[in-house]
């Protein structure tokens, strides 16, 4: 999308799975127009803390940058019982005027494939411009998905809390299992959101070859981390959007499979 409008995307290295204000500042030049945040993110599941977001806001203001905040997984957050939503840069004073937040109903309300999302923009006129761009991708969302979204937003949120609790249990099963596999490390530690882990398996060989072998020889489906950029090379993305039992059985099989690759 950046290239489509004539821009040049710049990858910024993460620090233990987190995009920091310092890294953004170091990567910014006089030609930089915007910074993209994703928290909780895919593929690591890591989250930017409220304090780090305040530091990023300081950089954005100093450098006069627009912030595009991908908040797809903001409700799939494993914070305290009082914090059901991941920290957002829009909550930082002054950032609502220079930020655009994007989200979707797909993850929070299990509406994958229904292609319905939302955006929060600084002004009504910005919304008009965003709608113009969107029109050439999809003219209108189907009526039934809009009615479903209204119900999702206005009805009880207990279903979301139950889903988050289930994801937390699955995350713990996967992370605890991975921590027992010698040679596997987890950048960023225990994920704080979304439903992914991104273990480093570089000690066992090329991540692309490992992903292929796991699928073809052991019946384990995961994604080669290299598809997420240079920093992802050597990692595997594992999703725990399945039952707890499948997660437990899967990580046991993964341990045996990696042991055979030593």
């Amino acid at each position: 999308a950046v290239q489509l409008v004539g821009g040049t995307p710049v990858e910024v290295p993460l620090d233990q799975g987190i995009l920091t204000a310092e890294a953004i500042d170091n990567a910014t030049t006089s030609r930089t127009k915007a910074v993209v945040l994703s928290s909780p993110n895919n593929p690591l599941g890591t989250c930017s803390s409220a304090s780090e977001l305040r530091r990023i806001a300081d950089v954005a203001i100093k450098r006069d940058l627009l912030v595009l905040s991908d908040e797809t997984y903001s409700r799939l957050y494993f914070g305290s019982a009082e914090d059901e939503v991941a920290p957002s840069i829009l909550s930082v004073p002054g950032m609502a005027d220079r930020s655009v937040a994007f989200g979707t109903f797909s993850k929070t309300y299990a509406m994958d494939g229904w292609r319905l999302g939302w955006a929060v923009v600084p002004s009504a006129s910005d919304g008009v411009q965003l709608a113009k761009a969107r029109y050439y991708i999809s003219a209108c969302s189907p009526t039934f998905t809009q009615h479903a979204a209204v119900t999702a937003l206005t009805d009880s949120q207990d279903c979301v809390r139950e889903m988050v609790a289930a994801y937390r249990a699955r995350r713990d099963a996967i992370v605890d299992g991975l921590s027992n596999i010698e040679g596997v490390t987890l950048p960023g530690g225990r994920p704080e959101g979304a439903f992914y882990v991104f273990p480093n398996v570089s000690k066992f060989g090329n991540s692309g070859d490992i992903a292929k072998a796991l699928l073809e020889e052991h019946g384990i489906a995961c994604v080669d981390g290299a598809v997420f950029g240079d920093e992802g090379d050597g990692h595997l993305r594992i999703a725990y959007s399945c039952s707890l039992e499948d997660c437990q059985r899967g990580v046991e099989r993964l341990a045996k499979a990696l042991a055979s690759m030593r």
Side-chain angles (χ1 to χ4, degrees):
V2 173
Q3 292 173 321
L4 188 64
V5 296
T8 301
V10 176
E11 291 189 16
V12 180
L14 305 180
D15 181 4
Q16 290 299 307
I18 299 296
L19 180 62
T20 66
E22 181 180 8
I24 293 171
D25 198 24
N26 290 339
T28 300
T29 72
S30 60
R31 295 173 58 83
T32 306
K33 302 300 181 183
V35 57
V36 179
L37 306 180
S38 180
S39 177
N41 68 53
N42 172 9
L44 288 93
T46 51
C47 296
S48 298
S49 66
S51 58
E52 190 63 50
L53 289 174
R54 287 192 292 271
R55 288 189 286 269
I56 291 174
D58 290 340
V59 172
I61 293 171
K62 179 182 73 172
R63 297 283 197 168
D64 192 23
L65 302 176
L66 174 69
V67 175
L68 305 177
S69 182
D70 176 359
E71 304 190 358
T72 296
Y73 298 97
S74 63
R75 294 286 301 280
L76 303 185
Y77 177 59
F78 312 127
S80 65
E82 296 76 24
D83 298 319
E84 295 187 341
V85 182
S88 170
I89 198 162
L90 267 72
S91 65
V92 179
M95 288 308 296
D97 293 333
R98 62 170 62 247
S99 301
V100 177
F102 301 93
T104 174
F105 290 84
S106 296
K107 311 305 180 185
T108 305
Y109 300 106
M111 291 168 60
D112 296 76
W114 292 32
R115 321 313 299 168
L116 190 67
W118 53 265
V120 177
V121 297
S123 68
S125 59
D126 291 325
V128 170
Q129 298 304 315
L130 184 62
K132 287 180 181 179
R134 182 192 178 280
Y135 182 82
Y136 292 96
I137 301 172
S138 174
C140 181
S141 298
T143 305
F144 81 91
T145 64
Q146 297 183 50
H147 283 296
V150 171
T151 299
L153 292 173
T154 58
D155 209 344
S156 169
Q157 301 299 295
D158 287 348
C159 61
V160 179
R161 298 184 186 99
E162 292 170 4
M163 182 167 61
V164 170
Y167 277 138
R168 183 185 288 108
R170 299 171 193 171
R171 175 206 62 179
D172 290 343
I174 292 284
V175 172
D176 291 346
L178 290 173
S179 66
N180 291 324
I181 303 176
E182 185 178 352
V184 173
T185 58
L186 203 60
R190 193 173 296 262
E192 296 181 283
F195 43 73
Y196 309 105
V197 290
F198 203 55
N200 186 323
V201 295
S202 57
K203 290 188 177 180
F204 299 88
N206 176 273
S207 54
D209 294 337
I210 293 173
K212 187 173 185 291
L214 288 175
L215 179 62
E216 296 180 349
E217 301 173 21
H218 302 276
I220 302 172
C222 51
V223 179
D224 173 16
V227 305
F228 296 98
D230 292 341
E231 282 201 82
D233 191 24
H235 298 73
L236 298 174
R237 191 195 73 169
I238 300 173
Y240 44 90
S241 51
C242 51
S243 71
L244 177 60
E245 293 73 22
D246 283 345
C247 289
Q248 293 168 331
R249 184 166 57 249
V251 77
E252 290 172 0
R253 291 169 62 184
L254 178 63
K256 294 178 181 178
L258 291 178
S260 69
M261 298 179 189
R262 291 187 183 277

